[in-house]
Amino acid sequence: MDHGTVGSAQSGRLLVEVREEGSSAVVTPAGELDHHTADLLREPLDDLLDKGFSRLVVDCSRLEFCDSTGLNVLLGTRLRAEAAGGGVHLAAMQPVVARVFEITGAEAVFTVHDSVAAALSDGTDGGADDKTGDEG
């Protein structure tokens, strides 16, 4: 498995790191995901899908904020990944970001994991029923 950084994009408020993990790709946005920074996440996600990665893990552990534009980037990526036979797995969401997904109902259409390791070990690309951990 290649654990090296494949690429990164940076703005004053968002840094996006990408690495390959076997047949999956892990994308780690750090900072604020909003109208001004959404393309910094959209572009690497689109590139990964174009390269044939249909199983994407988004490590949300360093994501401090996500607005509706950021949510739409993730939803659009999910549709493309599912059309290619894969999916988008969200991992390690901070409470403030998880709340956005909860309020909008978006958590129901993503597979959410407590950690990146759990997301990578989960070989399914199904819906929210594949959650890991002890979420109440």
Side-chain angles (χ1 to χ4, degrees):
M1 283 196 270
D2 179 11
H3 295 284
T5 298
V6 173
S8 65
Q10 185 172 2
S11 170
R13 297 185 329 191
L14 187 73
L15 170 68
V16 179
E17 297 176 356
V18 177
R19 72 180 192 271
E20 297 175 11
E21 291 280 345
S23 61
S24 299
V26 178
V27 180
T28 305
E32 298 178 7
L33 177 58
D34 59 22
H35 173 74
H36 300 288
T37 61
D39 283 340
L40 290 170
L41 180 60
R42 180 184 292 113
E43 290 169 6
L45 290 172
D46 286 347
D47 288 347
L48 289 166
L49 291 168
D50 291 344
K51 290 177 182 174
F53 286 95
S54 61
R55 188 173 193 285
L56 305 177
V57 174
V58 180
D59 176 0
C60 299
S61 63
R62 295 169 48 203
L63 190 59
E64 300 165 4
F65 176 80
C66 180
D67 74 358
S68 61
T69 307
L71 184 60
N72 283 330
V73 167
L74 293 170
L75 288 167
T77 300
R78 180 188 71 89
L79 291 175
R80 282 192 64 199
E82 288 181 357
V88 174
H89 296 252
L90 304 178
M93 281 203 289
Q94 299 296 322
V96 68
V97 174
R99 183 75 176 132
V100 172
F101 283 77
E102 180 183 332
I103 290 170
T104 61
E107 69 178 358
V109 299
F110 286 99
T111 306
V112 180
H113 303 272
D114 290 339
S115 68
V116 172
L120 289 170
S121 68
D122 178 11
T124 68
D125 283 311
D129 292 338
D130 296 342
K131 288 184 181 183
T132 60
D134 295 324
E135 298 172 291

